[in-house]
Amino acid sequence: MLKKGLPSPYIMLVLAPLFWATSNVTGKLGKGWLTPYEMTFFRWFLATLILSFFARKFIRQDWAQLKQHWLWLFVVGGSGFALFNIILYSAFSLGASVVNVSIITALIPFGVICFSAFIYKDQPHILQWLGIAIAFMGVIWVLTQGQPWVLAQYNFAIGDALALVTTGIYIAYSLALRHAPKIHWASMMWAMSLAGLVVAAPFYAYDLAHNGLHFPDWRGWLMLLYIAVFISIISKLFYMESVIQIGANRAALAMNFLPVFGAVMGVLFFKDEVMSINHLIALGLVVIGIVCSEYGAALKRRPLPERAGAY
């Protein structure tokens, strides 16, 4: 069933991590073209510019609501859109490995469901906990190539610590969407993209002061356009609307698709990447985990049958 002209949240929760996975491809293809600050600033500049044109009707329509909720939009958009990207790009520049960062990112579903239980007193069904655990094992399986015991050998450096900060930011972002203002998705995306641009601007100014003015070539702009449309706007929109429609606990589980999709993208775009049985096993575990968790969520929502003769 379509809502607000968008696909089902379950379709969006598959497409969102699929688009996020292409971010690794663009990062590898565009290595050396842009600094982390340039990448963040220009992606939100283009996203804001695009939405300012296509969403202008809804921006005018929701202007009063946008002004009323400007602080929420600025904090959530600035942190979830700009700070997340800046810190993550900086983590890679400081030597964080893709494997370690992916493992840390896989903690997001655990964090969302745990903090929801603590802050909002949510009581997830036991099958939701089990589903999260199974999906997380799928992530660990593909990242360790079927040898989960090697996790004990990883040493987490400063770059990995920064990746842990981004995980905390996205957990908070997911939980904050519970309080999103009731406005059209297009005007909300515009406001949050603008917040991301405003937050990214001082970092870009710092980069200009130290490295001078630099504009990407046509390849860089083409990559930025793709990032702005599909990664910055569409994937963010899909995840945001899914959280609003079905809740952070259930939506965050889709983050487990990210490392698996990333491995598939590597095989498709780079000759040095190969598909193995471990990828198929991991994908199967993730799918089983999501089905298990969703079944538990359905059982939790189902009303208890009335007993005969009950008062």
Side-chain angles (χ1 to χ4, degrees):
M1 178 179 177
L2 296 180
K3 184 175 182 180
K4 302 180 181 179
L6 298 174
S8 160
Y10 301 103
I11 295 176
M12 293 192 289
L13 285 175
V14 173
L15 292 177
L18 181 62
F19 288 134
W20 287 333
T22 65
S23 181
N24 294 332
V25 175
T26 57
K28 187 171 182 178
L29 290 175
K31 186 178 180 181
W33 295 347
L34 297 163
T35 68
Y37 303 136
E38 289 173 330
M39 180 81 80
T40 304
F41 177 80
F42 282 121
R43 70 181 285 178
W44 294 119
F45 172 78
L46 289 175
T48 304
L49 191 65
I50 292 169
L51 287 167
S52 294
F53 177 76
F54 289 103
R56 60 188 186 279
K57 171 185 174 182
F58 304 105
I59 295 170
R60 290 194 299 266
Q61 171 184 300
D62 295 327
W63 186 247
Q65 286 277 67
L66 291 173
K67 290 193 296 182
Q68 180 181 348
H69 298 283
W70 72 270
L71 183 59
W72 185 94
L73 292 164
F74 177 77
V75 172
V76 177
S79 58
F81 285 23
L83 288 182
F84 176 86
N85 293 131
I86 290 172
I87 297 174
L88 184 62
Y89 295 150
S90 299
F92 281 113
S93 69
L94 291 172
S97 71
V98 173
V99 171
N100 283 14
V101 171
S102 298
I103 292 171
I104 294 171
T105 302
L107 295 174
I108 291 177
F110 280 105
V112 170
I113 198 169
C114 289
F115 278 96
S116 291
F118 178 74
I119 297 174
Y120 299 112
K121 309 303 180 183
D122 290 342
Q123 297 298 328
H125 193 278
I126 186 64
L127 288 179
Q128 290 179 275
W129 289 107
L130 180 61
I132 290 278
I134 293 173
F136 183 71
M137 280 304 302
V139 173
I140 298 301
W141 190 272
V142 72
L143 293 175
T144 60
Q145 300 180 4
Q147 303 178 67
W149 53 87
V150 304
L151 285 176
Q153 302 174 10
Y154 289 145
N155 295 316
F156 289 85
I158 185 171
D160 302 320
L162 289 177
L164 186 59
V165 173
T166 65
T167 298
I169 289 174
Y170 225 78
I171 291 172
Y173 169 77
S174 298
L175 294 174
L177 289 176
R178 179 188 292 244
H179 306 288
K182 307 299 182 182
I183 57 178
H184 194 276
W185 62 262
S187 53
M188 185 183 297
M189 277 298 303
W190 172 81
M192 296 176 78
S193 296
L194 180 60
L197 176 62
V198 172
V199 171
F203 294 93
Y204 178 59
Y206 171 85
D207 190 60
L208 284 176
H210 287 76
N211 299 315
L213 182 62
H214 166 253
F215 284 103
D217 61 14
W218 67 270
R219 296 170 300 177
W221 281 114
L222 190 62
M223 181 184 68
L224 282 169
L225 184 61
Y226 171 81
I227 292 173
V229 174
F230 289 95
I231 301 177
S232 298
I233 297 177
I234 295 179
S235 67
K236 288 280 190 182
L237 163 66
F238 282 1
Y239 182 73
M240 178 180 69
E241 279 296 320
S242 299
V243 170
I244 293 172
Q245 290 186 39
I246 69 173
N249 286 357
R250 296 162 64 194
L253 188 62
M255 294 296 288
N256 287 305
F257 275 129
L258 185 54
V260 179
F261 285 161
V264 174
M265 289 291 177
V267 173
L268 292 176
F269 286 90
F270 303 106
K271 293 182 179 179
D272 58 339
E273 304 283 352
V274 294
M275 176 66 75
S276 69
I277 188 65
N278 289 323
H279 294 118
L280 300 178
I281 292 173
L283 184 58
L285 287 171
V286 169
V287 171
I288 291 171
I290 291 177
V291 171
C292 182
S293 182
E294 277 303 305
Y295 182 66
L299 290 177
K300 181 183 175 183
R301 295 193 307 273
R302 185 180 302 167
L304 294 175
E306 293 184 5
R307 292 178 298 170
Y311 292 99

